Amino acid sequence: MERRTIKIAMNGVTGRMGYRQHLVRSVLALREHGGLDLGDGTVLWPEPVLVGRREPALRAIAERHGLEHVSTDLEAVLADPEVGIYFDAQVTGVREAAVRQAIAAGKHVYCEKPTALTFESSLDLARLAAAAGIKHGVVQDKLFLPGLLKLKRLIDGGFFGEILSVRGEFGYWVFEGDWQPAQRPSWNYRAQDGGGIVADMFPHWEYLLHELFGRVRTVQALTHTHIGRRWDEEGKPYEATADDAAYGIFELEGGAVAQINSSWAVRVHRDELVEFQVDGTHGSAVAGLRGCRVQHRGATPKPVWNPDLPQTEAFRSQWQEVPDNDPADNGFKAQWELFLRHVVLDEPWRWDLLAGARGVQLADLGLRSSAEGRRLPVPEVAL
């Protein structure tokens, strides 16, 4: 097979997500499998160019994985005609400026979400990319995870009948950082640095709801900062100014209602860190990131409310596990493969910067809904 190399400038790989999911488990995993088979006798070989501010950290990663290209000069990297794609997994506050640079340099762009700090800025990025004629994409990884793929299969197969409601529970206890180290970076809890669970998670909820159930038509949210004092990576206390919990209700096109709780101040009493229960006229399902259980209307029990007697039915045992008929790959890697094929072969792609702008729009409206104490319409987004 002929090997075709494509250089990818990867900015933000010293961070947890950029390193683990995008560099190691996606791009380097493709290399470990011999590259991406394009199906035409050609194998695409991704060549990462590690970009960032901390050269020692970049060089340590490069040496660990046998990579050649490291730079702290983004402008010079973008000026390299051999670099075809710019990828960004930096903290949100600096992403917009770097993506603008990449678009101006004529590079195809793939980036994490949220794409910018405000809806207006994220929409402007989508417009700039469209005007530049580049290909562009936003990471929407949860669509490619096994549990959600099973849920999509149920929807496509008509399992639910009319879908009535979606209930989501996401979150876990993030330690404050004083007596145990926090599992998330401190900037997540500072609004001035682009932190907050709404900014982080509402873009996820937007694409999941949009792709699986229908466009979000209205949002009503209540946000809260439950833990007001935390300790940073150096053990210094700081004021948590960003929301660490959000309770949202979303009306969807088609009539279904979704309610999703998101919290970094909750202890887990469920099988996975995120679960969605979907109830329909013909059946229900509970899907997490990996598993999915169902209950058809023909097998639905008939509980009777009687608080004077102990409950004898084991309700959780009355659900059936959906089989792994189609084993799924790493969700980030699966979307990387699709984006690379989109860039090289012009194959269809819909998870673009406009889709990313919809996610930021929902986050903006969620925060505004909480501040104003009212339900808000979610206008359709267009270039």
Side-chain angles (χ1 to χ4, degrees), residues 32 111 193 237 254 331 369:
E32 288 171 7
C111 68
D193 294 333
S369 168

Side-chain angles (χ1 to χ4, degrees), residues 149-171:
L149 289 172
K150 293 173 187 176
L151 184 59
K152 180 70 162 61
R153 194 167 79 220
L154 293 170
I155 294 169
D156 292 345
F159 171 81
F160 295 101
E162 179 189 353
I163 293 177
L164 307 173
S165 64
V166 181
R167 287 184 288 138
E169 288 286 343
F170 163 80

Side-chain angles (χ1 to χ4, degrees), residues 28-299:
L28 295 186
L30 278 172
R31 290 159 61 102
E32 288 171 7
H33 286 88
L36 177 62
D37 187 350
L38 297 179
D40 60 355
T42 304
V43 170
L44 188 67
W45 183 256
E47 186 65 46
V49 180
L50 308 186
V51 184
R53 294 170 295 171
R54 298 184 292 139
E55 185 171 3
L58 292 171
R59 293 209 174 278
I61 293 172
E63 289 174 12
R64 189 181 310 145
H65 298 286
L67 302 175
E68 298 179 32
H69 309 290
V70 168
S71 179
T72 58
D73 188 342
L74 177 59
E75 186 176 353
V77 170
L78 294 177
D80 183 351
E82 292 186 2
V83 172
I85 296 173
Y86 172 74
F87 171 73
D88 195 296
Q90 299 181 96
V91 297
T92 307
V94 297
R95 178 169 301 133
E96 178 190 344
V99 170
R100 285 179 181 273
Q101 277 186 264
I103 293 172
K107 306 301 181 185
H108 304 302
V109 170
Y110 187 47
C111 68
E112 268 290 353
K113 76 212 121 340
T115 51
L117 291 174
T118 68
F119 169 55
E120 292 76 13
S121 295
S122 64
L123 186 57
D124 192 43
L125 288 179
R127 288 169 173 161
L128 286 173
I134 64 163
K135 291 182 167 63
H136 45 100
V138 176
V139 178
Q140 299 195 339
D141 53 288
K142 290 178 176 51
L143 291 171
F144 301 90
L145 294 171
L148 280 302
L149 289 172
K150 293 173 187 176
L151 184 59
K152 180 70 162 61
R153 194 167 79 220
L154 293 170
I155 294 169
D156 292 345
F159 171 81
F160 295 101
E162 179 189 353
I163 293 177
L164 307 173
S165 64
V166 181
R167 287 184 288 138
E169 288 286 343
F170 163 80
Y172 48 95
W173 188 268
V174 176
F175 282 92
E176 298 90 330
D178 52 350
W179 69 288
Q180 289 197 51
Q183 311 96 294
R184 298 184 64 86
S186 58
W187 73 264
N188 282 176
Y189 302 94
R190 292 189 292 263
Q192 63 270 30
D193 294 333
I197 202 163
V198 169
D200 190 22
M201 298 310 302
F202 272 40
H204 283 291
W205 307 153
E206 194 286 327
Y207 71 71
L208 282 175
L209 294 173
H210 188 112
E211 292 262 339
L212 296 177
F213 308 106
R215 187 180 73 84
V216 179
R217 295 178 57 249
T218 71
V219 57
Q220 184 164 3
L222 175 65
T223 68
H224 202 78
T225 305
H226 288 303
I227 298 176
R229 184 176 173 86
R230 292 182 177 271
W231 283 256
D232 64 18
E233 291 77 6
E234 298 177 354
K236 296 178 180 178
Y238 67 94
E239 180 185 0
T241 54
D243 47 283
D244 59 16
Y247 310 93
I249 299 175
F250 311 91
E251 288 183 287
L252 308 180
E253 205 164 56
V257 177
Q259 53 185 40
I260 304 178
N261 296 328
S262 314
S263 178
W264 288 319
V266 63
R267 293 176 176 88
V268 180
H269 189 261
R270 61 189 106 89
D271 293 334
E272 301 198 53
L273 296 185
V274 64
E275 287 187 344
F276 298 93
Q277 176 160 335
V278 182
D279 291 302
T281 53
H282 291 176
S284 297
V286 176
L289 297 184
R290 305 202 67 81
C292 183
R293 302 181 302 279
V294 294
Q295 187 173 92
H296 191 262
R297 64 175 177 172

